[in-house]
Amino acid sequence: FGLGVGLFFWTQSTLALTLAIASLLNIPNMLYFEGPDYSGGQRGVMLLLKGSAVCTIQPWVPCPSCSPDDFERDPGRLANGINAAGESLVF
C-alpha cells in the first residue's frame, strides 16, 4: 500500500490518543461546573449541557440609562419593576 496508508493510520492513532488525554484533563472541570459550588448544581439545565460552563444564577440589577428600545433583539433580557417611590425601573 505504500507509505501514505501507514502515515494515515499513525496520524489517526495519534489524534485519538491526543483527544483521549484532552478529555481526561477536562473531567475535573466538568465535575466542578456540574457541582453545587457553581451555579447551584445547574438545576434546570438540559442533560447535554450539564457540566458545561453555563450559569443559571443571574441577578437582575437596575439599569437607569437603559430603555426598552435597547432590547428589541432580545426581549428576554428586559424586565420592569417599581421601586419604593413608585417609579418604574428597567432591569
Side-chain angles (χ1 to χ4, degrees):
F1 286 100
L3 184 62
V5 174
L7 187 61
F8 170 77
F9 286 110
W10 180 83
T11 304
Q12 292 294 318
S13 62
T14 303
L15 182 62
L17 180 65
T18 303
L19 291 175
I21 291 171
S23 64
L24 290 175
L25 289 174
N26 276 318
I27 289 175
N29 290 333
M30 292 171 59
L31 293 176
Y32 170 72
F33 287 135
E34 189 177 11
D37 294 336
Y38 182 82
S39 190
Q42 293 188 330
R43 281 182 230 92
V45 175
M46 295 184 323
L47 182 63
L48 291 176
L49 289 178
K50 286 241 184 230
S52 67
V54 63
C55 183
T56 56
I57 299 175
Q58 302 170 355
W60 289 87
V61 294
C63 182
S65 62
C66 294
S67 73
D69 295 335
D70 296 335
F71 299 96
E72 286 179 356
R73 292 175 56 184
D74 194 4
R77 294 179 55 209
L78 176 69
N80 294 318
I82 298 174
N83 65 6
E87 301 168 333
S88 179
L89 296 176
V90 177
F91 287 86

